[in-house]
Amino acid sequence: MRLFVFGGSSGTGARLVAQALDAGHRVTALARRPESVPRHARLTVVRGDVLQPGGWGHELAGHDAVLSCLGSADRRPTTIYSQGMTGIIAAMRECGVRRLACVTSASLGLSPDAPLGQRLLIGRVVRPLYRHMYADMAKMERIVAAAHDLEWTIVRPPRLTDGALTGEYVTAVDQHLPRTRSLSRSDLAHYLLNHLDDERSRQATIEISRR
């Protein structure tokens, strides 16, 4: 496949790019600093900013899927998720690309069956502390869900770690997992890459957790 990855220079995105290349796919990655992305024969790095689609939008032509691992740890107001996704979807439509997978967070909608300590920590500490990030992330989810002409998947992981790839994870489609455990970025990347053809994930929100 030909894959276009946003947020591919670090974190989950970097692991996704590496796994896709190892699997034999051709990858294009958008980066503000292309020199930060390791070179590979099947990797094309496009210099650009996701918030300025006029500079890279045409590059999506000919790709089979778009994967967004956009992220921000900034506690200040942000539009990286919502504005970035608005530009991505517009470019996909213009270039005729329909498959989209993007990452948000399980903290956007905890199960009422989650342990009390986890619900208190996230509800009273994590979400208030990063309220701007979560608000923009939720806005991005609404933008994606409204794109009825696209084959989209929203993936909601729990707290992410730099642990190894295990392939040991569980998922729930359009419902909450009763309990979530921290997940490695490599396992999240593995799910994103290996479920692009999963019909159950089309126009669905997926919760994922370490098994």
Side-chain angles (χ1 to χ4, degrees), residues 90 183-184:
L183 182 75
S184 73

Side-chain angles (χ1 to χ4, degrees), residues 3 16 18 37 56 84 105 109 116-117 151 154 159 173 198:
L3 308 175
L16 174 61
V37 182
W56 51 260
S105 170
L116 177 61
E151 298 174 351
I154 295 169
R159 183 177 68 86
V173 181
D198 184 353

Side-chain angles (χ1 to χ4, degrees), residues 27-62:
V27 180
T28 302
L30 183 75
R32 284 178 292 182
R33 295 185 300 108
E35 64 275 9
S36 67
V37 182
R39 294 294 182 262
H40 191 283
R42 292 192 307 279
L43 174 63
T44 300
V45 183
V46 175
R47 183 186 297 274
D49 184 335
V50 69
L51 299 181
Q52 299 176 353
W56 51 260
H58 63 283
E59 301 283 357
L60 268 64

Side-chain angles (χ1 to χ4, degrees), residues 77-149:
T78 181
T79 60
I80 186 71
Y81 298 99
S82 60
Q83 185 180 340
M85 185 55 66
T86 297
I88 290 170
I89 289 175
M92 290 179 66
R93 286 169 171 156
E94 183 175 343
C95 295
V97 182
R98 297 189 62 217
R99 188 69 175 105
L100 168 67
C102 64
V103 176
T104 59
S105 170
S107 295
L108 287 175
L110 279 179
S111 168
D113 297 323
L116 177 61
Q118 184 181 35
R119 285 188 280 123
L120 290 175
L121 175 64
I122 292 174
R124 296 187 180 181
V125 179
V126 177
R127 281 201 297 229
L129 193 62
Y130 292 96
R131 62 188 181 279
H132 297 301
M133 180 189 75
Y134 283 117
D136 196 49
M137 201 180 278
K139 185 176 180 180
M140 183 184 81
E141 285 199 353
R142 293 192 294 272
I143 290 168
V144 172
H148 303 297
D149 56 323

